[in-house]
Amino acid sequence: MKEKSNLNGEIFDFYRKLDRRIFLDDEYKQYADVDQALPIGYEQTISQPSLVLEMTIQLQLNKKCKVLEIGTGSGYQTALLAQFAQEVYTIERIEDLSRKAQERLTRLGYQNIKFKIGDGSEGWPEFAPYNRIIVTAGAGRIPQELIEQLAVDGRMVLPVGEPGLQELVLVEKDERGNIKREPLGEVRFVPLVGKYSY
Ligand code: SAM
């Protein structure tokens, strides 16, 4: 699927209108407009809005895309994905976070999201391949299983590196299955738990 996204304007408009308070617990709603990661409980965070936008744009989504997201968190990033893709498969290891995200996204009317509670570091092989993959927690290295589950002409963005500081990496798979990696800049994410932890 080599369709390029021309949705950047629409993504930006949606991002500006999407109320981040919906995804925050009461005590943090007052900080919703600050461009920073904020606590969502269990030592996890809702990502910095500008980074959520950047990662979404890097994916070059279109309405035919099947997307895998590792790290549902609050569901904020999931909303952007579901708005511009055909289907989103999202995995979160912390049950309470996943349940809350499911409630929020269902209330917002999304019907194209499949939720899974569990370890997503090895992907979700049952529904592979995915046209797009996004990981929203920092991995020590790129999970081989995710490369395998990426469709041809697919794009994946993920933070890779040390605890506290990672490189955001864009991985592209061409029609021959060759992999290209491109560094996109430094980021700070909570760790990806499991096989690909630091
Ligand atoms: N994008 C999310 C948002 O907008 O709220 C923020 C995600 S938060 C930075 C990272 C999430 O990844 C956490 O909720 C954490 O529990 C989850 N996580 C970490 N390791 C995981 C794994 N192996 N499988 C699934 N989820 C994982």
Side-chain angles (χ1 to χ4, degrees):
M1 186 199 304
K2 192 120 193 170
E3 285 181 43
K4 282 230 166 180
S5 170
N6 291 315
L7 295 174
N8 289 356
E10 284 176 51
I11 291 173
F12 187 65
D13 287 347
F14 179 76
Y15 160 81
R16 287 188 56 178
K17 284 186 200 138
L18 182 61
D19 187 351
R20 199 172 174 233
R21 278 175 298 187
I22 296 168
F23 301 91
L24 287 164
D25 294 329
D26 285 348
E27 59 190 303
Y28 292 105
K29 286 189 194 298
Q30 59 185 313
Y31 306 114
D33 294 333
V34 180
D35 190 26
Q36 277 179 8
L38 293 169
I40 54 172
Y42 306 92
E43 299 181 355
Q44 305 304 320
T45 54
I46 183 172
S47 306
Q48 182 183 2
S50 55
L51 188 50
V52 169
L53 176 66
E54 167 69 13
M55 290 172 80
T56 308
I57 294 219
Q58 287 295 343
L59 286 176
Q60 295 186 355
L61 296 172
N62 64 64
K63 270 291 178 189
K64 291 183 183 167
C65 282
K66 189 166 141 188
V67 181
L68 174 66
E69 179 189 36
I70 316 295
T72 316
S74 68
Y76 176 61
Q77 169 78 76
T78 320
L80 268 101
L81 300 173
Q83 187 72 21
F84 296 100
Q86 187 176 79
E87 288 176 300
V88 179
Y89 295 78
T90 186
I91 311 178
E92 170 57 55
R93 55 180 287 275
I94 298 173
E95 180 171 354
D96 187 42
L97 293 182
S98 178
R99 299 250 180 257
K100 278 177 162 170
Q102 288 185 43
E103 278 167 27
R104 291 165 182 147
L105 293 160
T106 303
R107 222 182 311 132
L108 287 172
Y110 290 105
Q111 297 184 339
N112 59 341
I113 307 171
K114 280 195 168 49
F115 297 88
K116 180 175 174 179
I117 298 165
D119 180 2
S121 55
E122 296 179 54
W124 195 344
E126 190 184 348
F127 297 104
Y130 303 94
N131 308 106
R132 306 289 186 262
I133 298 179
I134 179 168
V135 184
T136 66
R141 58 201 163 96
I142 301 175
Q144 183 59 30
E145 291 86 346
L146 297 188
I147 291 179
E148 285 161 14
Q149 289 169 36
L150 188 62
V152 294
D153 292 323
R155 295 170 76 85
M156 167 161 67
V157 283
L158 76 168
V160 183
E162 301 298 317
L165 187 64
Q166 304 95 29
E167 185 80 55
L168 189 64
V169 179
L170 169 66
V171 177
E172 292 175 90
K173 188 185 267 191
D174 71 15
E175 63 280 359
R176 292 179 172 179
N178 296 321
I179 297 298
K180 192 174 99 188
R181 297 172 178 80
E182 186 187 335
L184 299 174
E186 288 181 350
V187 289
R188 282 183 178 78
F189 276 87
V190 294
L192 182 73
V193 173
K195 183 175 171 185
Y196 292 92
S197 202
Y198 304 103

